[in-house]
C-alpha cells in the first residue's frame, strides 16, 4: 500500500507552529499540518460569561471558522448564510473542551480567554491542527498575563495536542490528509496530553464497523504522532 | 462505592422499548432507560436529498429535540429561540451516522427515512436511548416498505445500539443517569452493532485526562450493556 | 348524515386527562381527545417578565409545539426551520389568554407559570385539547405552590375549557376530528369557563359565509361539550 | 356613560376610503377610521404559490405592517428586529382569509393578488380598517384585470368589511378607538359580507368572561356599522 | 437632449415638504420629490444607546424602509424576509451620519432622536428626499423639546439637505428620477449644509469611469439644487 | 504637523501584493498596506446568478469578512452573531461595483467570479486594500480561464485600485492608518482606474463639513497614491 502523499503509515505531514502571526492578539499561532493552515489567536477578556460570575473560576472557549476558499472548491460563507453549521459547532465545542481539560481554572481566576481558529487553507485534519496550535496561543496569552502581573504562574497543568488516524486501504495510518480522509474506512481523532493522558477520543466507522484491534492500533499511532507534536509545541514556546 | 441509584457497576437501568406509540408513523418506538424517555419515529419519504439524486442510494437522517420541561428545570424551547443548539446538532448528526452505518443504502434504493427523536423526559443518556430506539423504528419502517412491496428485503446489515459508560467516584460504571453524568470524571458513549463491531466511540475527560486501562474497562462495560440492549431490540421487533 | 367516526352530532370523542405524566414539572396533564394527544406541563418561575416587574402581579404564558410526526404526514420541525409558524404563534397566544382570563393575577403575586403544550399526536382540535389540559396543569402548579407555602389559596376564579364545533355536511357537530375539520363549511373554537362565561370565540367560514342561526347552534353544542369537559377536569384534579 | 370621543354607542368614527393613493399598484385604498389610517395596495402576480400550481385556482394573500411611529410611542421596526410578531402574523392571516371568503378562486384562474396593509397611523381598529380598505383595493385590481382582458368578470361573490365592537364601561359600543380598546372589558372583531353573512368572529374577554346576551348586542352593533361601511365601499368603487 | 420628464438639466422635480403628517411623532415631514414620497418622523427617547451612556452626548440615528408596493413592481417585505437588505442598511447609515454632522451633540445632552424614513412611493432619489425631509422632522423634534423646557436652544449648527445628480445621455443633470437613474452613466449623491459645506459625497460610475470635469459639473448642479431645498426647508419650518 | 507613523503627507504605507497565497483558488493575492493585511481570492463558478441567466453576461461579486482578532480588541464573529453588519455589507457591495466597472461582462460570457476578501489584520484602510488586491486576484482568475481555453482574452478594460485620504490635524494626508482614521476630520475613499478614470468616490465629514478645496486636495493625493498602486499591481501580475 502506498499513501497518496507517499508518507509512511506512521509519518506526520510537515508540521510547523509559527507564533506571533497576529500582531494584536495576546497569543497567536499559525499552525501548518502540510497544506492545512489554521490561524489560532487567543484574546483575553476581563470578564467571564454570566453563568460563571462570582465563582472565582476562569473560562476558556473557542470559535472555529473557515475562509470560503480555504477548500478545493468554494464553500459558502457562514456569516452570509446567517448561521454556523453543525460541523462548525461540533469542532469549536471540541477545541474548547480540549483546552479546558489542561487548564487550572481556579488558578486562572475570573478571566476568560477566547480562542479563534480560522482555517486559511484546508487539506484535512483542521480540527486537530486547530487544537495543537490553540494550545500554543493559549500558553502565550497566559505568559502575557504573567508578564503584566495579572497571573503569578501559568495555569496549565499539562500540554495538549491532537491528531487524526484512520484506516485507509485497510491499513492504519497517521495524520490523514484530505485525499485519505474522504476515502477512509474509519476515522478517529485523538486529543492527548503531553503526559499521555487521554482527553478526548472520537472514532467513527465511515463505511463498515471496525474492531477493537484496529482501534488500538489507531491509538498507538496517535501516541506516536502526539509525542512529536508535543515536542514541536515546546520548541515553539521556547520551553 | 455506591451509585446514587443503588445499581451495580455493570447494571443497566430498567429498559423498555414500546413500539407503535405513534399511530401515524411508519415506525415508532418509545424507549425508556429508567426515567429517560425518548419517542423515536421513522417517516418514509419518496425522495432523497438533492445531493444524492440519481445515484441509486437511499438516505437515513435524524433530528433530535427535547420538550422544554423534559428536564429538572425548564429549558428554553429551540423553536422559540429560533435555532438549534450545538449540542442538539451534535446529537442528531451522531444518530444519523449510527443508523447509516448498519444500513445497506444501495439495497434501500432512492428512498429516505427521517428519524425524529423527541425526549419526553430526560435523566441522562438521551442520545444513547435515542439511537437504541431509533434502530427499532427504522426496522419497522423497512418492514412496512417490504409489506407494501417497495422493498424485497430489510436493507439492514446488522443491528445497532448505544450506551454510555463513565468513571464515577473513581469506578467505571455502565449507563450513567443524570446524577452520575453531572459528576463523572470521564464519560464515553459507545455505539456498537449487534455483532460487536464498533460504529462510534466518543470519550471525553470531564475533569482530568483518563488512561488507556480505564478506557478499556469502559469499553468492556459497554459490550456487556449493548448485548442486553440488542436482545431487547430483537424482542421488541418480534425477531 | 353520518360523521366519519360514527359519533352523534353532539358527541365528544373519548376524552381523558392523565395527570403526572411529566415527572419533573410542577403540574402536568396528558390530555387525549380521541387520537389527539397533547402533553401540557406547567413550570413555575420565580420572576415575571420585565414589563411586569414591581407591579405585584403574576403572569401565565404558554408555548405550543407539535412533534414532527404527530401528523398523518411528517411536518418540518420548527426548531430546524428557525422559526415558529404564524399558526403556532396564534395558538400559543390563545392558550395564554384563556388561562389568564380565569387567573387572579393579584392573588398570584410576582410569580410566573409557563405552560408548554406539546402535541404528541394530532387528529384535529389540538388547541382546544391544549387549553383543557393546560387548566389542569396550571391548577396542579398552584396547588404545589400552596403546599410549599408560597401561596395561601389557589388564585383561580373559575375553571376554563375549550372545544371546537363546525358545520359538516350542512349540520352542526361537536368536537371536529381531522377528517371533519378539513372538510367543514365553518369552524369555531369556543373557550368557556366552568360557570358558563365566554372567554374567547373564534368562528371562521371556510368556504362560504355562515349565518347567525348556525352560529347560535354551534355555541349551544359548545356549552354541552364544555359541561362534560369541566366535569372531567374536576375528576382529574380530585375536586 | 360618555365615550372618550363623545360618540354615541352605535356611532362609527369618521370613515373615508380614498382610492388611487398608490400610483403604481393595480389597486389601492387609503382607509381612515378616525385617526387610524391604513394604506392598502393590491399587487397582481401572474403565478400562484407552489402548493396551488396546476389546479386552476387563484390565490389572495395579505401582509400587514405598521410604521414605527404610527403609534403613540415608537414601536421597534420588525424588519430591524428580523421577525414579524405573533400579532402581525395573526392579523395578516385574518385579512387573507376574509378576502378569500368572498373571492371565486375558480373564476379567478391561476393568478395571485397580494394585498399589503401598512398602518400609517394607529388609533385602534387597524385590522378592521385594513380588511375594509383591502376589499376596495382587491376590487380595483380585479377591475384592472378585466380592463386588460385577463378576466371576463370580477371574481367576487360579495363584498366584505370588518368592524370592532366591545364592552366599555359596561356598555356595548361600536368601533373602539385606542382609548377604549385599551380599557375594554371585552373586544370582538366581526368580518361580515355585504349580504350579511358571517365570515369571521373573534371575541375575547379582556378582564372577565362575558355572557351570551352581551355577545349578541356586539353582533347587532357590528351589523349596523358594517351596513354603513358597505355603502362607503360601493361609493368609493363608483358602483 | 431631452430628459424623460422634459425638465431642464438643472431643474428639480416639484418638491414639497409637508409637516405634521404623523399625528403622534415629535416631528414629522412628508417629503415629495415628484413621485417619490417619503414620510420622515422624529421620535424622542430619553436615553442614549449603551455605548454613549454617561458621556453627556446625545445621539441621532435613522432607520429606512420601503412599503412593498412603493415601487413599480412589488418588492418583498423586509420584515417578512427577516432581514434588511444591504441597500437599506447603507441608506439608513447615510441618513444618520448626515443628520449628526449638523447636530451639536453636546448641547443636545443625553437624549436620542430616532428618525424613521418610510418610502410610500418610489420614483428615484429616495435617500436624498429622506435626508432633506428628516432634517425638517429633526428640527421640529428639537423645537418640541425647547417648548417643553428640556432644551434651551435648538442644537443644530446648520441645516442639511441632499440631492442626486448624474450623467444621463452624456449630460450632467440634477435630481434623477427612476427613468434616468436606471440608465445613468454615473450617479452621485451630495449631502450639503445650508452654508455650503460638504457632508457626504457618494459618486459611482455605473457603466464606465467618469472624469474630474464631469464630477465638478455634478457638484455645481448639486449646489444649485440644494440652495433651493434649503429655502424650502426654511419655509416649511416657518423660519 | 507629524503623522503618527512619521510618514510624509503624500506617502503610502509599505505596500505589498503577494500572489498565490491560497493554493486552491483560481486567483489570490495577500495584500498588505502596512499592518493591514487582506487575503483576496477569486473563485470561478460556471453559472451566473438567476437574474442574469440567458443574457450572455458574466458577473463579478464580492464578499468581505474580518477575522475576530484582526483588530486591536476582539470583534464578535459575524457567523456566530448570525448576520453581517451594515458596514460589512457596504464594503462588499463597494468591492463588487469597483471590479465590475473595469470588467467587460459581455466578453466574459456566462461565468461568475466570486471574490472573497478576508481581513487577517486591520490597521485602517481595509476596503481600499481589498479592492487593490482583488483586482490582482480577478486578473489571475481570468488568466487561468484563458489558459484552459474558456476565454480568448482577459475581459478587463482597465485596472482598478483604491486608496483612502483624509484631513488629519487640518492637513490632507494619503492612506490613513487606524490611528489617523479614528481622529480624522474628513475621510474619503477613492476608487480609480489605471487610466485615471473615477469609479467611485465616497467622502464623509466626520466632525464638521469640509469644503471643495479640501476635497480637491484629497483627490489629488489619491491620484498620486493610485499611480503607485497601479504600478505595483502590474509588477505583481508580471505585466
Amino acid at each position: 500500500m502506498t499513501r497518496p502523499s507517499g508518507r509512511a503509515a506512521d509519518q506526520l505531514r510537515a508540521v510547523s507552529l509559527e507564533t506571533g502571526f497576529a500582531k494584536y492578539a495576546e497569543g497567536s499561532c499559525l499552525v501548518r499540518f502540510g497544506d492545512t493552515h489554521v490561524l489560532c489567536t487567543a484574546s483575553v477578556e476581563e470578564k467571564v460569561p454570566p453563568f460563571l460570575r462570582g465563582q472565582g473560576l476562569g473560562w476558556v472557549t473557542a470559535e472555529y471558522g473557515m475562509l470560503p476558499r480555504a477548500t478545493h472548491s468554494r464553500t459558502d460563507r457562514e456569516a452570509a448564510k446567517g448561521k454556523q453549521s453543525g460541523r462548525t459547532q461540533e469542532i469549536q465545542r471540541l477545541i474548547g473542551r480540549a483546552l479546558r481539560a489542561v487548564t487550572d481554572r481556579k488558578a486562572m481566576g475570573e478571566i476568560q480567554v477566547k480562542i479563534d481558529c480560522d482555517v486559511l487553507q484546508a487539506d484535512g485534519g483542521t480540527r486537530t491542527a486547530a487544537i495543537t496550535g490553540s494550545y500554543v496561543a493559549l500558553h502565550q496569552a497566559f505568559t502575557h498575563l504573567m508578564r503584566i502581573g495579572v497571573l503569578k504562574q501559568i495555569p496549565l497543568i499539562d500540554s495538549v495536542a491532537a491528531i487524526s488516524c484512520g484506516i485507509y486501504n485497510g491499513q492504519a495510518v497517521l495524520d490523514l490528509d484530505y485525499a485519505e480522509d474522504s476515502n477512509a474506512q474509519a476515522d478517529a481523532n485523538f486529543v492527548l496530553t503531553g503526559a499521555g493522558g487521554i482527553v478526548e477520543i472520537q472514532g467513527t466507522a465511515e463505511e463498515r464497523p471496525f474492531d477493537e484491534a484496529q482501534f488500538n492500533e489507531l491509538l498507538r499511532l496517535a501516541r506516536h504522532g502526539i509525542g512529536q507534536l508535543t515536542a514541536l509545541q515546546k520548541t515553539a514556546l521556547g520551553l
Side-chain angles (χ1 to χ4, degrees), chain A:
Chain A
M1 184 220 61
T2 320
R3 301 178 70 173
S5 59
R7 281 185 283 150
D10 66 351
Q11 191 182 346
L12 292 175
R13 288 175 282 181
V15 173
S16 71
L17 296 161
E18 177 185 346
T19 57
F21 187 87
K23 182 175 182 174
Y24 306 121
E26 283 77 30
S28 73
C29 178
L30 177 59
V31 52
R32 293 186 186 86
F33 280 22
D35 280 331
T36 289
H37 302 172
V38 185
L39 174 55
C40 308
T41 60
S43 298
V44 173
E45 300 200 354
E46 280 168 36
K47 56 181 182 179
V48 289
F51 71 91
L52 278 179
R53 285 189 194 142
Q55 301 181 30
L57 295 170
W59 190 244
V60 178
T61 187
E63 288 186 5
Y64 171 94
M66 184 136 40
L67 297 197
R69 199 52 197 276
T71 42
H72 290 71
S73 62
R74 188 178 182 274
T75 310
D76 286 342
R77 187 179 289 269
E78 289 188 332
K81 290 197 296 181
K83 64 173 188 172
Q84 295 179 299
S85 69
R87 178 185 172 276
T88 291
Q89 294 195 55
E90 262 185 51
I91 293 175
Q92 61 194 13
R93 284 157 57 90
L94 170 65
I95 300 169
R97 281 199 309 271
L99 296 172
R100 288 193 298 274
V102 294
T103 302
D104 181 346
R105 288 172 50 213
K106 198 157 192 175
M108 198 180 161
E110 291 212 0
I111 278 174
Q112 184 173 194
V113 182
K114 285 191 178 161
I115 301 293
D116 286 289
C117 298
D118 284 277
V119 180
L120 305 186
Q121 201 168 277
D123 187 39
T126 63
R127 79 188 70 188
T128 53
I131 290 169
T132 305
S134 291
Y135 171 75
V136 173
L138 178 63
H139 194 287
Q140 286 188 322
F142 284 140
T143 303
H144 164 81
L145 288 170
M146 271 185 67
R147 232 179 264 136
I148 63 171
V150 172
L151 292 177
K152 296 204 176 138
Q153 51 180 40
I154 305 281
L156 289 166
I157 56 176
D158 202 342
S159 67
V160 68
I163 199 69
S164 75
C165 303
I167 314 286
Y168 176 75
N169 274 345
Q171 188 183 345
V173 296
L174 179 66
D175 189 18
L176 306 176
D177 57 28
Y178 179 75
E180 292 167 328
D181 195 25
S182 47
N183 289 290
Q185 286 88 54
D187 176 16
N189 293 298
F190 294 90
V191 184
L192 305 182
T193 68
I198 301 171
V199 166
E200 186 110 16
I201 293 176
Q202 293 187 334
T204 302
E206 293 295 334
E207 285 175 14
R208 289 289 163 262
F210 55 93
D211 65 29
E212 206 164 330
Q214 288 173 309
F215 180 76
N216 287 333
E217 174 63 6
L218 297 181
L219 175 52
R220 199 192 57 76
L221 282 173
R223 288 201 182 284
H224 173 70
I226 283 183
Q228 295 176 44
L229 295 176
T230 301
L232 288 165
Q233 287 175 324
K234 278 190 188 148
T235 305
L237 288 166
L239 302 178

